[in-house]
Amino acid sequence: MTQRRSVALIALALTIPLVAAAAPPNASDFPGGHYVLDPRHASLIARVKHMGVSLYTLRFDTLAASFDYDPAHPETTRLQASVDPTSLDVNADYSKQFAEEFLAASKFPKATFTATQLQTAGDGTGTMTGDLSLMGVTKPVTFNVTFVGAGHEVMPIPLGRRAAGFEATTTIKRSDFGSTYLNNLVGDEVTLQIEAE
């Protein structure tokens, strides 16, 4: 490959994201089809009050999800997602211990969410309600969802895979699912934030 061609490819790779960033996200740009989560570009962050004085942040490192989307009928969207509780990361060497004590991870090795209803506001935001199963308990949960954008990944050049990005947030009570370990030190309300591509 010549030096001139290498420079042109690098310039293209740098320019495409800038052009995409200039345009605001539009849900109508999001084509229908079957989508699968890219775990390398996804995160599940949780925040919980610690000793009543601060918000403690942790994450789960192993996620999976897929959904089918029809832009003519977004309300029919069906999403399945799962999280491995043993992938809890509290940024300390006792992460595995906490996964067991807070989530009984060896007894309940998978947490799942199955969407049952999607409501859109027409501006790239909406809500997704579904059944969250955690520690053997299933409860309805509603996420506030924001459409971040859609397009194609830059690599491989010229265009990579079709992609879309979303953010989803909700707050649950861990005691609703049977998690009461250290409830005198660690808060009951847990805020979940998902970034998904």
Side-chain angles (χ1 to χ4, degrees), residues 91-177:
N91 197 30
D93 57 7
Y94 45 79
S95 292
K96 297 295 182 193
Q97 177 186 345
F98 272 17
E100 192 58 39
E101 291 169 337
F102 281 93
L103 301 171
S106 62
K107 185 176 180 182
F108 304 105
K110 185 183 282 190
T112 62
F113 177 77
T114 302
T116 57
Q117 182 180 21
L118 174 68
Q119 293 183 327
T120 60
D123 61 353
T125 65
T127 59
M128 179 172 280
T129 300
D131 295 322
L132 175 63
S133 295
L134 177 65
M135 297 178 65
V137 177
T138 300
K139 298 269 186 185
V141 171
T142 298
F143 284 88
N144 293 313
V145 180
T146 301
F147 172 63
V148 177
H152 282 79
E153 295 176 330
V154 177
M155 302 299 284
I157 291 174
L159 290 176
R161 296 173 297 178
R162 183 176 65 187
F166 299 90
E167 178 180 70
T169 60
T170 193
T171 299
I172 63 171
K173 287 188 176 183
R174 63 187 181 98
S175 61
D176 286 347
F177 298 89

Side-chain angles (χ1 to χ4, degrees), residues 17-101:
L18 293 175
V19 172
N26 185 338
S28 64
D29 295 336
F30 180 35
H34 179 70
Y35 290 82
V36 177
L37 182 71
D38 179 352
R40 297 165 303 161
H41 298 109
S43 63
L44 170 53
I45 304 295
R47 295 195 317 161
V48 63
K49 193 171 280 190
H50 180 249
M51 297 182 67
V53 299
S54 67
L55 289 172
Y56 187 67
T57 301
L58 51 103
R59 66 177 285 142
F60 292 89
D61 294 325
T62 304
L63 318 171
S66 66
F67 70 93
D68 294 287
Y69 177 73
D70 178 356
H73 301 283
E75 70 281 359
T76 65
T77 300
R78 292 296 171 255
L79 176 140
Q80 299 275 341
S82 65
V83 176
D84 179 356
T86 66
S87 72
L88 175 67
D89 182 354
V90 299
N91 197 30
D93 57 7
Y94 45 79
S95 292
K96 297 295 182 193
Q97 177 186 345
F98 272 17
E100 192 58 39
E101 291 169 337

Side-chain angles (χ1 to χ4, degrees), residues 48-53 102 174-175 179-189:
V48 63
K49 193 171 280 190
H50 180 249
M51 297 182 67
V53 299
F102 281 93
R174 63 187 181 98
S175 61
S179 176
T180 57
Y181 181 70
L182 293 182
N183 62 357
N184 57 329
L185 298 176
V186 177
D188 190 24
E189 287 194 348

